[in-house]
């Protein structure tokens, strides 16, 4: 079956522009995660949804970052007024149910470059 | 707070040789531990996980890992490496006793190069 998909795969933005990154989780997966992976680093947690509810947004680095999942399936991560330090790969993951015992399946990521 | 250390940034092994990738964690209780592999252009794929019980866990692609509480380690091993194992490997920890904690904390990764 289809895995987690993300679009676009690559995005170049000028500093100050707004961007929107999309995640299509595996159908039926309740939980959805966003991670940020800077060059040479491991993924870092940004935010977590259970269905349409955003239960944890403790990892969002600033109020320029906003995520939503209005119908409990597709999610969008929006970054306003992008800055160079936002350059990273943004990974989306989904899992069947909540909790750590449910395997997280990762998408290929969106590579964001801010110039 | 939990954290993960992968001391080796880059490891090179010959095809057919054995492999051990190191992972140390910091956490007050018994964590949930994971190893993921990331190939270029691919998403992270789960190799194996440890929650409780037998401290030696088997995973996919012939990998295994051993949880050693006394050393706060969860090293990944493979007896004979294949060229297709060349990738980035990430150790991750989850905090099961933290209410509402569902996310993973990742190490910085170890890049594996396999030479013929």
């Amino acid at each position: 079956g289809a895995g987690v998909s993300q679009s676009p795969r690559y995005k170049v933005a000028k500093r100050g522009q707004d961007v929107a990154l999309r995640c299509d989780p595996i159908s039926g997966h309740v939980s959805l995660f966003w991670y940020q992976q800077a060059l040479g680093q491991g993924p870092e947690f940004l935010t977590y949804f259970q269905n349409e509810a955003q239960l944890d947004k403790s990892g969002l680095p600033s109020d320029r970052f906003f995520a939503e999942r209005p119908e409990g399936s597709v999610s969008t991560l929006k970054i306003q007024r992008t800055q160079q330090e936002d350059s990273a790969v943004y990974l989306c993951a989904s899992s069947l149910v909540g909790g750590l015992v449910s395997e997280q399946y990762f998408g290929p990521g969106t590579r964001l470059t801010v110039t | 707070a939990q954290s993960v250390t992968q001391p080796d940034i880059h490891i090179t092994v010959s095809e057919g040789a054995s492999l051990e990738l190191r992972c140390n964690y910091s956490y007050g209780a018994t964590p949930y531990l994971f190893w993921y592999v990331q190939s270029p252009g691919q998403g992270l794929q789960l190799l194996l996980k440890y929650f409780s019980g037998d401290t030696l866990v088997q995973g996919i692609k012939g990998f295994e890992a051993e949880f050693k509480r006394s050393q706060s380690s969860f090293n990944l091993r493979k007896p004979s490496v294949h060229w297709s194992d060349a990738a980035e490997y990430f150790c991750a920890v989850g905090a099961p006793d933290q209410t509402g904690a569902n996310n993973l904390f990742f190490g910085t990764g170890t890049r594996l190069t396999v030479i013929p």
Side-chain angles (χ1 to χ4, degrees):
Chain A
V4 178
S5 61
Q6 294 185 245
S7 61
R9 292 292 309 278
Y10 303 90
K11 177 69 178 178
V12 178
K14 288 189 182 344
R15 189 169 52 187
Q17 284 184 330
D18 298 348
V19 299
L21 313 179
R22 176 186 170 107
C23 172
D24 284 83
I26 295 172
S27 178
H29 277 198
V30 166
S31 297
L32 186 145
F33 304 80
W34 283 98
Y35 292 85
Q36 179 190 58
Q37 186 176 16
L39 189 64
Q41 302 296 314
E44 291 191 3
F45 170 76
L46 294 177
T47 187
Y48 163 66
F49 290 86
Q50 188 165 314
N51 295 308
E52 68 278 5
Q54 189 175 21
L55 298 186
D56 187 348
K57 53 182 181 179
S58 62
L60 296 176
S62 77
D63 58 8
R64 296 185 296 104
F65 287 71
F66 171 77
E68 60 183 2
R69 194 186 185 199
E71 297 178 0
S73 55
V74 171
S75 177
T76 304
L77 176 67
K78 297 178 179 178
I79 309 173
Q80 297 177 323
R81 304 181 304 281
T82 53
Q83 300 178 6
Q84 284 195 313
E85 61 262 30
D86 300 335
S87 295
V89 175
Y90 291 84
L91 298 170
C92 176
S94 70
S95 63
L96 184 60
V97 294
L100 291 165
V101 296
S102 183
E103 179 177 346
Q104 293 185 28
Y105 294 85
F106 283 80
T110 294
R111 181 178 297 278
L112 172 65
T113 303
V114 181
T115 61
Chain B
Q2 54 272 50
S3 65
V4 177
T5 302
Q6 293 181 251
D8 304 306
I9 295 173
H10 185 203
I11 284 183
T12 300
V13 299
S14 298
E15 192 169 14
S18 64
L19 171 70
E20 182 169 28
L21 302 182
R22 295 184 291 166
C23 172
N24 293 94
Y25 68 89
S26 174
Y27 185 61
T30 300
Y32 288 173
L33 295 162
F34 307 80
W35 274 100
Y36 282 84
V37 61
Q38 186 176 40
S39 300
Q42 305 290 318
L44 289 155
Q45 182 183 22
L46 181 66
L47 288 175
L48 47 78
K49 58 193 175 189
Y50 172 79
F51 294 152
S52 65
D54 192 348
T55 57
L56 184 64
V57 293
Q58 302 297 322
I60 62 172
K61 304 185 180 186
F63 285 93
E64 66 177 29
E66 186 172 11
F67 170 58
K68 293 186 177 180
R69 184 189 305 275
S70 61
Q71 298 177 18
S72 297
S73 69
F74 189 58
N75 294 349
L76 182 71
R77 301 194 294 250
K78 186 169 185 177
S80 177
V81 169
H82 188 262
W83 65 266
S84 60
D85 293 324
E88 188 91 19
Y89 290 80
F90 291 94
C91 182
V93 63
D97 62 339
Q98 291 185 3
T99 303
N102 293 275
N103 56 291
L104 301 175
F105 293 85
F106 287 85
T108 52
T110 297
R111 182 158 60 93
L112 174 65
T113 297
V114 180
I115 56 177

